[in-house]
Amino acid sequence: MTARDGSHLLAVPPAALRDRPVATLADIDATLEPDAVWVLGPSREPQSFARARSSFDAPAFHPPLETATEGVGLQTVGDREIAIAHGARAMSAQPESVSRTLQSTKPLALLCDDIATETRPTELETTLEHADTLAAALPSGCVTTVLTGAESAGYDELWHLEAETGAVQRVDHDPGLACEPAGDDCVSVRVQGVGPVEGYGNAASLALLELEAEGVATIETYSATDFGLEAVSGIGPKTATRLAEHGVTARAELLEMPTEQLAALPGVGRERAQTMHQHAAVLETGEPRRLTDESLPGEDWSTPPLCIDIETDGLSPTIIWQIGVYDPASDEYRAFVERDDPSDSASVLEAFCDWLLGVHPNRALLTWNGWRFDYRHLGAFIATHVPYYAEEWESIPKFDLYLWAIRDENAMLPGRTNKLEAVASAVGYEDAATGLDGAQTAAAYQRFMRTGTPLEWERHEAYCEDDCRALWHVYEQLREAPHSEARDSRSTTEWGSSTATDSKRNEASSARKTRDETASEQTGLSDF
């Protein structure tokens, strides 16, 4: 189980509760382990609320059914306290009472599902609904966080309102970088969405909020189909309905269903039935399974690859400010970090290349989904800022464990998503509980670049180290994983047929395999 920090609040749309079997809700509860469950409004949904109360171990609440007499009520989530508004009308009826409650109790956030934005295309403006109510009820001179299911998870903007009228003075679109009140005569409201995310469909998006003393630390989203039967590969809503007609609503029941009976269902067939059973077993046991005889990247080499991870200032980076490297052979970790001059894009790259090429000239590298980010940006930045190392960098053997397992379909993984942290947690990795994610580290460094405010360097370095060590933990679990009975007979790839020679590269840049724009092949291995 991954170490947890903070308190966790699960925001669930009523449809996700109403339309899912009890076994699926139990799986959500067991997997996410929330400290409280928020059944989203603004409409009254007593049936969904009842299902939440009966299905989750944690206390559940549904704001439209709250009956607070002071305009807002209080709810404990783990060791944090939040305020709950029955609705905007309840706040507007008792604004002074709401303000007194918020100022005396200082809750982490206020929950109100009536708060939403409205875009008027013809006027090219966006307005905040019930801004006048918020201005009248919330204290001025400080920032109040308002959480709402009326905006999708990921929405995060800071609205500055005139205290007397609620007129919008300005909107800060990136409060993660700077979240300060506009003045003593201004009501500053940080509106954060927790509602369904576009693309999940059927309002089945769940949001898990991590609450810390400073506020909402992270908001992770899941689809309801990540749990229960629909988490199994090959099972969608139609197949789940057919299985329910046969009394199968949980993965354990699916595993008891004979393959022949499962294969006889419309649209299933024997091969798909086998895949369903295999994946259900992986999810139930938390143990990965290898689907082919393909060797892991570098599995047959005498020295394991170096696990690397990078941190940048965003998805379109202007700097790679941290490069972390974990060496499984020596169990040592090394970090290359730019702490002093964020305008210096070369120093970290130069130090990393000096060490890699000078100390470990014959070692391969290993990432998780690195061809989509780490390798791509490292290659571009090295070519730009330390071009004298570009050719040697291109010749280094580079592996991508995500590519091998997921894209090349060599393994089934037990994570609810294929993010590294989800997979590593599912296979038993205990992380350092830094409470960080990639977006937060990028935002923190952006703030450092803009204001000079230093990061909690040790915490951010620990986060990068966690990713490197988690990567190797997943690798080891895959190395020990059992093979599926139905093995794939594809031919051995170039890296799989390589022997462990550990000799120096000879004309490696010309011998490297050609890769397309998505870097769909493991590369740089022909000379090893």
Side-chain angles (χ1 to χ4, degrees):
M1 179 70 191
T2 299
R4 284 163 57 103
D5 197 12
S7 302
H8 294 80
L9 172 62
L10 180 63
V12 188
L17 294 162
R18 188 174 56 245
D19 300 339
R20 257 60 196 182
V22 171
T24 297
L25 301 182
D27 192 25
I28 294 172
D29 188 30
T31 303
L32 301 183
E33 296 182 316
D35 295 301
V37 179
W38 171 12
V39 182
L40 300 178
S43 61
R44 293 168 56 91
E45 299 281 352
Q47 181 182 351
S48 295
F49 178 49
R51 283 178 68 82
R53 294 188 63 177
S54 61
S55 300
F56 289 87
D57 288 335
F61 60 89
H62 183 40
L65 299 183
E66 295 292 318
T67 57
T69 59
E70 301 299 322
V72 293
L74 297 175
Q75 172 71 47
T76 299
V77 181
D79 56 358
R80 309 296 176 197
E81 194 169 57
I82 56 176
I84 303 173
H86 174 81
R89 180 179 298 179
M91 288 197 295
S92 65
Q94 304 181 67
E96 296 85 2
S97 176
V98 173
S99 183
R100 284 195 303 270
T101 300
L102 295 180
Q103 292 188 70
S104 63
T105 61
K106 299 188 183 305
L108 198 69
L110 169 66
L111 278 58
C112 183
D113 286 315
D114 284 337
I115 304 305
T117 61
E118 181 182 3
T119 301
R120 300 171 179 172
T122 57
E123 300 177 23
L124 298 178
E125 69 174 5
T126 300
T127 60
L128 181 64
E129 296 181 6
H130 305 293
D132 56 341
T133 297
L134 294 174
L138 304 187
S140 59
C142 63
V143 176
T144 301
T145 297
V146 174
L147 302 176
T148 174
E151 295 291 333
S152 61
Y155 177 87
D156 187 2
E157 292 191 333
L158 180 59
W159 293 75
H160 300 287
L161 311 176
E162 186 177 285
E164 293 297 323
T165 66
V168 178
Q169 294 185 347
R170 75 168 194 267
V171 181
D172 295 339
H173 300 290
D174 201 348
L177 295 179
C179 191
E180 301 293 336
D184 292 338
D185 59 347
C186 179
V187 174
S188 297
V189 186
R190 183 176 183 177
V191 180
Q192 292 186 267
V194 301
V197 177
E198 184 179 354
Y200 283 112
N202 298 322
S205 175
L206 318 175
L208 184 67
L209 290 70
E210 182 180 341
L211 309 179
E212 295 185 342
E214 298 78 15
V216 180
T218 60
I219 300 179
E220 295 184 42
T221 56
Y222 302 84
S223 170
T225 59
D226 292 335
F227 305 90
L229 270 183
E230 289 184 66
V232 176
S233 177
I235 298 182
K238 291 183 179 179
T239 303
T241 299
R242 295 186 182 111
L243 287 167
E245 293 170 354
H246 287 75
V248 176
T249 60
R251 291 190 300 270
E253 295 168 344
L254 177 68
L255 290 171
E256 294 176 356
M257 190 177 194
T259 301
E260 293 74 13
Q261 184 182 2
L262 179 57
L265 293 180
V268 177
R270 185 170 184 81
E271 183 176 350
R272 189 177 171 193
Q274 289 177 332
T275 299
M276 290 178 184
H277 274 157
Q278 291 165 1
H279 195 210
V282 166
L283 293 173
E284 283 296 282
T285 63
E287 298 174 354
R289 177 168 296 195
R290 294 172 69 161
L291 301 177
T292 73
D293 288 325
E294 298 285 0
S295 298
L296 277 161
E299 185 176 17
D300 300 324
W301 295 22
S302 61
T303 307
L306 300 168
C307 301
I308 70 167
D309 185 53
I310 68 172
E311 305 301 335
T312 69
D313 61 334
L315 294 178
S316 300
T318 63
I319 185 172
I320 297 174
W321 61 270
Q322 180 173 194
I323 304 174
V325 187
Y326 171 65
D327 185 353
S330 61
D331 192 28
E332 294 177 345
Y333 178 79
R334 180 180 291 264
F336 303 88
V337 186
E338 181 51 69
R339 293 188 176 196
D340 301 317
D341 183 4
S343 66
D344 181 4
S345 298
S347 293
V348 163
L349 296 168
E350 186 175 56
F352 168 65
C353 289
D354 285 347
W355 174 82
L356 178 62
L357 298 172
V359 179
H360 296 291
N362 301 314
R363 296 288 290 277
L365 304 179
L366 181 70
T367 61
W368 185 266
N369 209 13
W371 283 122
R372 290 187 177 273
F373 194 78
D374 306 73
Y375 293 146
R376 179 161 61 91
H377 290 302
L378 278 168
F381 274 72
I382 288 172
T384 300
H385 300 289
V386 285
Y388 41 90
Y389 282 142
E391 185 175 346
E392 280 298 303
W393 165 258
E394 290 299 324
S395 72
I396 293 172
K398 303 174 184 70
F399 298 132
D400 186 334
L401 190 58
Y402 171 89
L403 176 69
W404 179 88
I406 306 301
R407 294 274 302 279
D408 291 345
E409 299 181 343
N410 286 310
M412 282 184 175
L413 303 175
R416 300 310 171 125
T417 71
N418 288 323
K419 292 181 179 179
L420 176 58
E421 56 268 28
V423 175
S425 174
V427 296
Y429 179 70
E430 293 271 356
D431 68 25
T434 62
L436 294 173
D437 59 23
Q440 289 176 298
T441 61
Y445 205 80
Q446 287 177 30
R447 184 163 52 247
F448 173 57
M449 296 170 72
R450 192 184 69 257
T451 68
T453 303
L455 285 70
E456 299 176 70
W457 296 111
E458 292 184 0
R459 182 185 179 200
H460 286 267
E461 288 178 30
Y463 167 74
C464 191
E465 180 177 356
D466 242 359
D467 275 358
C468 294
R469 290 183 179 272
L471 174 61
W472 186 248
H473 182 84
V474 173
Y475 186 101
E476 289 185 308
Q477 296 301 307
L478 283 169
R479 187 170 56 195
E480 302 301 322
H483 283 76
S484 167
E485 294 179 2
R487 298 188 179 184
D488 187 68
S489 59
R490 289 176 293 176
S491 61
T492 305
T493 62
E494 180 179 357
W495 57 261
S497 61
S498 299
T499 57
T501 64
D502 277 41
S503 62
K504 291 189 176 182
R505 292 178 297 277
N506 178 28
E507 299 179 352
S509 59
S510 62
R512 284 184 301 115
K513 296 170 72 176
T514 302
R515 64 177 183 270
D516 60 19
E517 292 180 355
T518 60
S520 61
E521 300 177 24
Q522 314 282 358
T523 64
L525 306 170
S526 55
D527 297 302
F528 279 70

